[in-house]
Amino acid sequence: MNIIPIMPARRASITWPSEGLTRVPYALFQDEGVYADEQDAIFRGPNWSYLCLEAEVPNQGDFRSTFVGDAPVVVTRDTDGEIYAFENRCAHRGAMVCLEDQGNARDFSCVYHAWTYSLQGDLVGVAFKDGIDGKGGMKPDFCTGDHGLRKLRVATLHGLVFGSFSDDVPPLDEYLGEEIVERIARVLENRKPVVLGRFTQMLPNNWKLYFENVKDSYHASILHLFFTTFQLNRLSQRGGIIVDPSGGHHVSYSAVDHAAEAAEQRKATSDYADQKIRSESEHRLEDTSVLAGVDEFGDGVTLQILSVFPGFVLQQIQNAIAVRQILPRGTQQTELNWTYLGFEDDTPELREMRLRQSNLVGPAGYVSMEDGCVGGFVQRGIEGAGDGRSVIEMGGDSAESSASRVTEASIRGFWKAYRNAMGY
């Protein structure tokens, strides 16, 4: 008998404004039905979600726990050397079978009833399967092969591990597109990452508000006083925005032209003052070594923020390299996982530089501290807004790459991909 899967019915009804990508309904950040639909259409749909680094599961038996949307997942490296991923949910009664964040194991046994699974997620043992003294136990036709854990497709790229619940998602490099792949390669190709540290940050806002923030090059030198005070990032610097054709992935980058730096700084300071933007402060650093950097990529780019729909970020700020994983935790909370990276061939001086510059980012980073709270300001501000909508018109109404960072094109790109995924 053929069993036809029943797709979950949509729980929310959203009418998108006629203005298109330049208007976003505030209900998308608050509605429980929207959140449930996102789990089905986006996180369990035909998209690739970041899982972990290959460097985090280097040996046979190594595992790392993570999530895809709100679904718990385990990533393993089996004895064949390959990486696997499966849902961390026992096929028996739904308990998590892996309770640790990371480690090494021969198999996974559910603490509730000792159903045991291999490193590939296959069911290999059921306690008292045959009962005791011929009594009890599973039915004679019970087949362990039919009750493995739900498996994900797995793909790797330059040391990053992605997974998908969908059989319809295209290959990872095709999903990302050539320009995004090249920008990932710029930072990670032919390098062996070393995890320098981790943070988990809980944000008081919807996951989409943080993803908007990541893609928002317009706010960076306005919200972040540290950027402009110490000339790390101004909109007048050379740079641009890359938005892939789907809209979902983006790169924002800026570079320093040292020959024109002094004159540009004077002009930029005037430009920001004319706009009445808080671009200078009386604050100074006692130890300026946190600002010292080297051009390890040979292109003068001092800032590159890259995002992959629906929840991955690769950052280079000076020599501070990190990956961020954005996980929804209900309509008004987001889990943000930071992983700080160095590389095996770092010199002691470069490793020290990365560690010092790690103070720029993270939950209390000089630069990114404000990002952790501004989403909460929005979440609180739109409470009870009813049919309110945001206005996203900076730089026009398209979702295309731009030579200017004074644009919200990559945010519109996110909503383009989101609407396509959700059917709005």
Side-chain angles (χ1 to χ4, degrees):
M1 179 178 66
N2 292 326
I3 299 176
I4 302 175
I6 300 175
M7 296 301 293
R10 286 301 173 96
R11 304 167 180 86
S13 177
I14 297 292
T15 300
W16 203 275
S18 60
E19 295 91 339
L21 301 177
T22 64
R23 299 291 188 275
V24 176
Y26 289 144
L28 293 175
F29 305 107
Q30 304 173 82
D31 190 283
E32 296 286 351
V34 168
Y35 179 83
D37 288 342
E38 289 169 349
Q39 301 306 311
D40 294 328
I42 295 178
F43 296 102
R44 288 188 282 273
N47 297 296
W48 288 103
S49 291
Y50 171 75
L51 300 179
C52 67
L53 299 164
E54 285 193 80
E56 295 178 289
V57 286
N59 305 309
Q60 295 180 4
D62 286 349
F63 67 86
R64 182 150 183 85
S65 299
T66 185
F67 285 83
V68 173
D70 58 13
V73 169
V74 181
V75 183
T76 67
R77 190 179 293 274
D78 200 1
T79 53
D80 61 1
E82 297 297 318
I83 294 177
Y84 297 88
F86 45 83
E87 207 165 28
N88 189 6
R89 183 180 293 129
C90 185
H92 178 214
R93 300 273 289 278
M96 298 175 72
V97 299
C98 178
L99 303 178
E100 304 295 330
D101 289 336
Q102 62 182 13
N104 188 276
R106 290 185 298 180
D107 52 36
F108 298 96
S109 184
C110 178
V111 298
Y112 201 176
H113 300 96
W115 284 36
T116 302
Y117 301 87
S118 73
L119 292 171
Q120 296 187 27
D122 297 320
L123 181 62
V124 294
V126 173
F128 303 113
K129 173 177 173 292
D130 299 322
I132 297 177
D133 295 331
K135 298 177 181 179
M138 303 299 289
K139 294 169 59 178
D141 62 353
F142 177 81
C143 177
T144 57
D146 294 337
H147 297 279
L149 303 177
R150 184 180 181 187
K151 299 181 181 181
L152 285 74
R153 289 177 60 188
V154 172
T156 61
L157 178 69
H158 300 308
L160 304 173
V161 181
F162 289 83
S164 178
F165 283 109
S166 173
D167 292 329
D168 298 325
V169 65
L172 181 59
D173 56 351
E174 181 181 332
Y175 177 81
L176 296 173
E178 184 176 350
E179 287 186 297
I180 302 300
V181 170
E182 287 178 355
R183 286 289 178 154
I184 292 174
R186 171 185 172 272
V187 178
L188 298 176
E189 187 175 27
N190 297 324
R191 309 181 83 180
K192 294 184 177 180
V194 175
V195 175
L196 302 182
R198 294 188 181 90
F199 284 103
T200 294
Q201 182 179 7
M202 299 306 294
L203 305 177
N205 52 264
N206 189 276
W207 69 276
K208 299 184 291 299
L209 288 174
Y210 184 78
F211 212 26
E212 276 194 330
N213 176 272
V214 166
K215 293 172 175 290
D216 182 359
S217 58
Y218 172 41
H219 87 277
S221 61
I222 300 173
L223 175 66
H224 302 307
L225 184 58
F226 192 92
F227 262 157
T228 48
T229 296
F230 300 105
Q231 287 84 44
L232 291 180
N233 183 16
R234 291 180 184 265
L235 290 172
S236 52
Q237 289 176 332
R238 175 170 62 88
I241 299 288
I242 298 170
V243 183
D244 86 300
S246 78
H249 324 311
H250 104 291
V251 179
S252 173
Y253 65 96
S254 62
V256 175
D257 183 349
H258 293 286
E261 183 73 5
E264 189 61 41
Q265 284 184 13
R266 289 193 295 272
K267 181 179 183 301
T269 300
S270 175
D271 289 343
Y272 277 72
D274 291 344
Q275 297 288 325
K276 295 181 171 54
I277 293 172
R278 56 187 193 108
S279 59
E280 294 292 331
S281 79
E282 73 280 6
H283 300 297
R284 295 295 179 265
L285 291 172
E286 186 70 26
D287 180 0
T288 60
S289 63
V290 71
L291 302 177
V294 296
D295 185 4
E296 64 179 293
F297 303 105
D299 54 11
V301 172
T302 55
L303 182 145
Q304 175 180 290
I305 303 295
L306 179 151
S307 70
V308 173
F309 185 87
F312 169 76
V313 181
L314 172 63
Q315 69 150 63
Q316 174 226 335
I317 300 177
Q318 298 279 78
N319 304 102
I321 312 298
V323 296
R324 310 178 202 170
Q325 181 189 36
I326 304 167
L327 296 173
R329 289 290 175 263
T331 59
Q332 299 190 32
Q333 193 171 49
T334 299
E335 180 179 322
L336 177 60
N337 294 318
W338 300 77
T339 305
Y340 298 85
L341 301 181
F343 298 94
E344 282 192 356
D345 59 358
D346 285 349
T347 63
E349 294 77 15
L350 182 54
R351 180 64 56 82
E352 174 72 15
M353 192 176 296
R354 295 196 200 282
L355 291 171
R356 287 183 181 275
Q357 290 177 10
S358 67
N359 289 289
L360 298 174
V361 294
Y366 293 136
V367 172
S368 57
M369 175 173 55
E370 297 93 343
D371 291 327
C373 61
V374 73
F377 297 163
V378 177
Q379 193 75 50
R380 289 156 58 191
I382 64 176
E383 188 73 26
D387 295 331
R389 306 172 299 175
S390 58
V391 178
I392 308 178
E393 292 186 354
M394 183 61 67
D397 58 8
S398 72
E400 298 175 350
S401 301
S402 169
S404 170
R405 290 177 296 134
V406 190
T407 180
E408 294 169 315
S410 50
I411 301 177
R412 291 188 291 270
F414 167 72
W415 290 112
K416 175 183 176 181
Y418 181 89
R419 290 181 66 182
N420 182 62
M422 296 287 286
Y424 291 147

